[in-house]
């Protein structure tokens, strides 16, 4: 199965170059492509076979992946991987073997942060709908509701029918994608083989606050879960926002955190953009916090 690996890049070059070099040497990966969402110049020490794509603007995770995957229509599978993830050839091969199964659309390894699993079998929660509770899959593969977007293998036939929603920009596009994949009749499978995530998030931590609030609300609304949307919006307004305001005061950081939660709530309840590319003003969180 011809596999194209896509790294959506922003920030320092070193982790991206290191991962791309490892994947380029893997016999299971036919092509490695990097989408430079920060529009930075191609590093001199990147392997020559690795493609470096400059999008017209920052397209976020889903948008960057869709841009790169369109350049390789003959691929049998795609690997979407964060530059903080380290994955070995055994894990890549085992995940691709699973992906070759009938009606399996998405496969992911068990993602470990240090010694603690960061992805595992998800359990649908009646309120949150995408529970944070996770447990490792043991010694055999298991179907699950969704997997981490930091590293997932996607069958090309599945991607042709179900695309990543670029409107989310960053966060929740993986959960939304997996739910729609399952609704389309495909299985989402978690492998017991492991990958490892190192370092901190590639996004500015305050900016994550905005997208966590906004995109959770968008996810609920796009799936028609109106009661859950109302309950979560109420919890954000009455619990999260006051708590963040107190934290802003205690840590003497002005109103940055409060503004991110507030605008995440307001944008989450406003009109959702039509399907397609991210909003033209993304990264929208940069209005209220430093982005680079």
């Amino acid at each position: 199965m011809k596999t194209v690996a896509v790294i959506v890049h922003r920030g320092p070059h070193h982790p991206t170059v290191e991962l791309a070099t490892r994947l380029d040497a893997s016999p299971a990966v036919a092509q490695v492509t990097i989408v430079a969402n920060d529009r930075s110049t191609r590093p001199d020490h990147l392997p020559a076979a690795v493609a470096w794509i400059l999008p017209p603007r920052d397209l976020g995770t889903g948008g960057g992946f869709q841009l790169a995957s369109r350049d390789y229509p003959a691929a049998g599978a795609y690997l979407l991987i964060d530059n903080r993830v380290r994955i070995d050839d055994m894990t890549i091969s085992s995940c691709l073997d699973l992906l070759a199964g009938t009606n399996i659309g998405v496969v992911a390894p068990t993602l470990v942060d240090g010694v603690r699993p960061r992805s595992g079998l998800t359990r649908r929660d009646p309120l949150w709908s995408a529970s944070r509770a996770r447990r490792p899959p043991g010694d055999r593969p298991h179907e699950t509701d969704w997997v981490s977007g930091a590293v997932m293998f996607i069958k090309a036939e599945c991607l042709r029918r179900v695309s990543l929603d670029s409107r989310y920009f960053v966060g929740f596009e993986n959960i939304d994608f997996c739910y729609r994949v399952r609704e389309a009749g495909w299985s989402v499978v978690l492998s017991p083989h492991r990958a490892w995530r190192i370092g901190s998030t590639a996004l500015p931590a305050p900016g994550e606050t905005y997208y966590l609030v906004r995109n959770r609300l968008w996810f609920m609304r796009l799936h028609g879960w109106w009661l859950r949307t109302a309950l979560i919006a109420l919890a954000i307004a009455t619990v999260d926002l006051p708590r963040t305001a107190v934290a802003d005061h205690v840590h003497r950081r002005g109103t940055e955190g409060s503004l991110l939660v507030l605008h995440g709530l307001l944008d989450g309840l406003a009109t959702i953009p039509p399907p397609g590319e991210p909003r033209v003003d993304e990264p929208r969180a940069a209005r209220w916090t430093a982005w680079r």
Side-chain angles (χ1 to χ4, degrees):
M1 185 183 298
K2 180 181 178 181
T3 302
V4 174
V6 178
I7 306 169
V8 180
H9 166 85
R10 64 166 62 81
H13 282 165
H14 173 71
T16 298
V17 171
E18 182 179 348
L19 174 61
T21 302
R22 289 173 179 267
L23 292 174
D24 183 56
S26 172
V29 177
Q31 175 65 49
V32 181
T33 298
I34 299 168
V35 181
N37 265 339
D38 59 1
R39 296 190 52 76
S40 57
T41 304
R42 178 190 177 99
D44 294 334
H45 43 297
L46 194 67
V50 175
W52 184 269
I53 299 176
L54 290 179
R57 61 186 178 95
D58 191 338
L59 296 176
T61 303
F65 174 74
Q66 292 288 155
L67 177 69
S69 63
R70 284 195 292 268
D71 284 349
Y72 303 96
Y78 301 93
L79 166 60
L80 173 59
I81 186 166
D82 189 281
N83 66 359
R84 299 165 294 157
V85 172
R86 296 297 176 263
I87 185 170
D88 59 31
D89 286 341
M90 180 179 294
T91 297
I92 292 173
S93 296
S94 68
C95 288
L96 288 173
D97 287 345
L98 284 173
L99 195 67
T102 304
N103 287 335
I104 296 179
V106 175
V107 173
T110 299
L111 186 62
V112 178
D113 186 349
V115 296
R116 181 177 55 152
R118 297 288 296 179
S119 69
L121 298 178
T122 54
R123 181 183 59 197
R124 184 175 299 186
D125 183 281
L127 174 58
W128 298 102
S129 300
S131 174
R132 292 170 181 248
R134 301 175 175 94
R135 61 182 177 86
D139 59 355
R140 60 188 180 89
H142 286 273
E143 287 194 37
T144 187
D145 286 347
W146 58 273
V147 295
S148 171
V151 51
M152 61 178 174
F153 295 81
I154 305 170
K155 187 174 289 181
E157 183 183 352
C158 176
L159 186 65
R160 284 191 286 268
R161 290 177 54 189
V162 183
S163 62
L164 266 76
D165 194 332
S166 303
R167 292 175 290 182
Y168 287 99
F169 191 65
V170 286
F172 270 84
E173 66 277 306
N174 62 303
I175 301 174
D176 174 81
F177 176 67
C178 289
Y179 270 69
R180 289 186 292 109
V181 163
R182 293 172 66 247
E183 288 171 353
W186 301 85
S187 295
V188 176
V189 175
L190 186 71
S191 166
H193 286 82
R194 294 188 170 194
W196 294 264
R197 184 162 60 182
I198 59 175
S200 59
T201 176
L203 296 178
E208 279 194 307
T209 301
Y210 167 81
Y211 290 108
L212 178 62
V213 172
R214 187 195 73 178
N215 292 352
R216 176 182 291 153
L217 291 168
W218 279 8
F219 171 69
M220 299 295 175
R221 293 172 59 196
L222 287 169
H223 287 267
W225 298 328
W226 304 112
L227 177 59
R228 298 172 189 176
T229 301
L231 291 173
I232 290 171
L234 180 63
I236 293 169
T238 60
V239 178
D240 293 351
L241 186 56
R243 183 169 55 195
T244 305
V246 170
D248 281 345
H249 176 73
V250 170
H251 297 290
R252 299 181 180 180
R253 61 190 182 199
T255 59
E256 180 184 65
S258 304
L259 285 174
L260 289 166
V261 174
L262 175 62
H263 286 285
L265 174 61
L266 295 176
D267 287 350
L269 296 176
T271 302
I272 300 176
E277 292 189 348
R279 294 173 55 132
V280 295
D281 59 351
E282 294 286 13
R284 188 160 167 77
R287 293 188 174 200
W288 308 288
T289 188
W291 188 252
R292 301 292 179 202

